[in-house]
Amino acid sequence: MKKIAFFDTKPYDKIFFKKLKDEYDLEFRFYESKLNIDNAYKAKGYDGAVAFVNDDIDKETIDALCENGIRVLAMRCAGYNNVDIKAAFNKIHVLRVPAYSPYAVAEHAMALLLCINRKIHKAYNRTRDNNFSISGLTGFDLHGKTVGVIGTGKIGQVFIDICRGFGMKILAYDPYPIKDSDITYTDVETLCKESDVISLHCPLTKETNHLINEKTIKLMKEDAVIINTSRGALIDSEALTTALVEERIGGAGLDVYEEESDLFFEDASDKILKDNVLARLVNLPNVVVTSHQAFLTKEALENIARTTCQNLYDYFEGNTLENEICYKCKKFDTCDRKGGKCF
Ligand code: NAI
């Protein structure tokens, strides 16, 4: 039985991972603390570590894990922008869950869009207060509107299908467009100019950091709605907030926020919010913020737990590591993956 240090544990993780531990011959030590340089020592004596989206797995943390004998890190998420994969190369095998439910995330993106557009959040509060007025709740038909989808990978494609069900026209931007598809691709500028709704489904990289910024926002229609279920730093939050306050865009549905790591997933209801940008965003009537919950469906959690356990099992059994990621094997891989591993 292999012993695994499990960081940033949420109550739901325990439920789904405990169900599978015997099947995969794994024993978990659940830590609530995040994996970062201060907590890496907690992995000492374990055979592997499991981490999550807001853990801070920089070079120092990688080195500390290594010093404590860790050679495998299983991310229980798809994104790995919080892992210094270059520093991990030749030291720690980084595994991830590339797809667990694109439907969960794409459906949440549509939930945010419907909520913002039809002002469900306001109606919910009103009717609970016996206020049955509908003034100020006017939305627009999604039918016939143009949705700009940035990133047409697994989640982007499901989102496109959902939008087509609503009768929306699709515009997309992706540096690696799907060949022979019926999706109309364009550049980011045209997408920003022509879309009524813009939804982000690309990973956070150096190129996509602050993809939505003062300049791109200025191109958008004044009633455009931005949806972000991908990663917070795709949007320059200050530029977004300014545009919303100055009524230069229509609204935003945000499941992620660039400074989310110390706040999201935690109950801070008894504390004063020190982040002025987030404090402003959550109080704007045309903004709905959810705290990185787009993935949170029963099906997705089952898949995350199973793939993470399978990834660890494959590593310990010496099997091909299907879900290993390294800095060489991103899109067009230069990683030779000798023996089914990146190194
Ligand atoms: P994927 O890898 O299937 O698709 C990503 C797409 O983005 C690819 O087609 C890629 O070519 C494209 N892309 C790469 N660079 C780009 C750029 N500069 N501009 C536009 N497109 C670019 O990934 P998947 O599964 O669709 O996930 C997308 C993102 O969703 C993840 O990177 C992650 O950040 C986020 N996510 C959020 C979750 C949540 O709970 N809020 C849960 C799961 C994923």
Side-chain angles (χ1 to χ4, degrees):
M1 181 165 290
K2 298 293 181 187
K3 289 175 13 187
I4 308 296
F6 195 107
F7 289 90
D8 202 8
T9 309
K10 314 291 175 218
Y12 57 77
D13 289 320
K14 287 190 188 169
I15 298 168
F16 288 93
F17 278 84
K18 276 182 179 171
K19 275 189 202 164
L20 297 175
K21 68 182 183 50
D22 293 336
E23 191 181 328
Y24 287 95
D25 210 18
L26 297 168
E27 185 186 310
F28 296 108
R29 168 75 160 87
F30 291 106
Y31 292 114
E32 281 184 21
S33 44
K34 289 192 169 58
L35 176 56
N36 54 32
I37 184 59
D38 298 326
N39 294 318
Y41 74 91
K42 292 183 179 170
K44 192 174 174 134
Y46 289 87
D47 300 296
V50 170
F52 195 40
V53 285
N54 285 328
D55 294 339
D56 187 6
I57 309 156
D58 58 7
K59 184 179 179 309
E60 280 181 297
T61 309
I62 299 271
D63 289 343
L65 285 173
C66 245
E67 278 164 29
N68 287 305
I70 297 295
R71 295 287 173 267
V72 61
L73 173 66
M75 299 302 296
R76 54 183 199 279
C77 50
Y80 49 88
N81 54 284
N82 56 331
V83 185
D84 187 337
I85 49 170
K86 204 161 185 179
F89 195 71
N90 272 333
K91 291 180 183 163
I92 293 183
H93 292 274
V94 180
L95 315 175
R96 66 168 185 144
V97 185
Y100 36 87
S101 173
Y103 310 103
V105 183
E107 287 169 14
H108 193 77
M110 181 48 87
L112 286 172
L113 173 56
L114 288 171
C115 184
I116 290 291
N117 176 27
R118 305 307 298 269
K119 300 168 178 57
I120 304 296
H121 53 305
K122 296 179 86 174
Y124 174 76
N125 283 329
R126 280 190 196 179
T127 53
R128 280 166 66 94
D129 199 27
N130 296 343
N131 175 356
F132 300 103
S133 157
I134 59 168
S135 31
L137 301 185
T138 310
F140 57 84
D141 284 7
L142 292 180
H143 184 91
K145 297 294 183 304
T146 299
V147 58
V149 178
I150 300 188
T152 55
K154 291 176 283 297
I155 296 169
Q157 286 175 57
V158 175
F159 186 71
I160 286 172
D161 286 347
I162 292 172
C163 290
R164 283 190 168 141
F166 278 81
M168 300 183 84
K169 295 177 198 146
I170 314 293
L171 265 185
Y173 169 71
D174 193 310
Y176 310 102
I178 304 166
K179 285 190 189 118
D180 304 322
S181 81
D182 55 355
I183 298 170
T184 307
Y185 285 96
T186 184
D187 53 86
V188 174
E189 287 71 28
T190 311
L191 182 145
C192 288
K193 278 184 202 156
E194 295 188 4
S195 301
D196 301 290
V197 174
I198 294 169
S199 194
L200 307 179
H201 300 288
C202 59
L204 176 62
T205 62
K206 274 189 196 135
E207 293 75 43
T208 60
N209 190 60
H210 286 190
L211 182 77
I212 302 300
N213 53 45
E214 180 59 23
K215 220 170 115 198
T216 43
I217 290 172
K218 273 197 174 138
L219 301 171
M220 293 176 193
K221 297 184 180 181
E222 66 175 20
D223 51 0
V225 175
I226 300 176
I227 304 294
N228 189 6
T229 54
S230 210
R231 284 294 179 267
L234 295 176
I235 299 182
D236 177 344
S237 317
E238 283 199 49
L240 173 70
T241 310
T242 307
L244 285 160
V245 170
E246 292 176 359
E247 298 179 47
R248 285 189 277 118
I249 51 165
L254 309 172
D255 186 51
V256 285
Y257 171 65
E258 58 181 326
E259 301 298 332
E260 72 178 45
S261 62
D262 290 334
L263 277 169
F264 281 20
F265 304 120
E266 309 300 332
D267 179 2
S269 54
D270 59 344
K271 299 191 177 81
I272 303 291
L273 193 51
K274 307 280 186 211
D275 183 325
N276 287 336
V277 176
L278 183 61
R280 193 75 218 250
L281 281 172
V282 293
N283 276 303
L284 286 169
N286 49 352
V287 174
V288 170
V289 176
T290 53
S291 44
H292 209 138
Q293 67 170 75
F295 71 99
L296 200 63
T297 66
K298 189 173 152 287
E299 291 78 3
L301 292 174
E302 274 165 3
N303 290 338
I304 289 169
R306 185 161 292 283
T307 306
T308 305
C309 291
Q310 183 68 46
N311 285 344
L312 287 165
Y313 179 85
D314 286 339
Y315 172 80
F316 294 123
E317 289 295 306
N319 299 339
T320 294
L321 297 181
E322 298 289 349
N323 297 324
E324 182 172 18
I325 186 79
C326 80
Y327 77 105
K328 291 183 172 183
C329 66
K330 281 195 177 171
K331 190 83 192 181
F332 293 112
D333 53 346
T334 53
C335 175
D336 54 17
R337 291 186 57 79
K338 273 188 195 144
K341 296 184 175 58
C342 289
F343 55 89

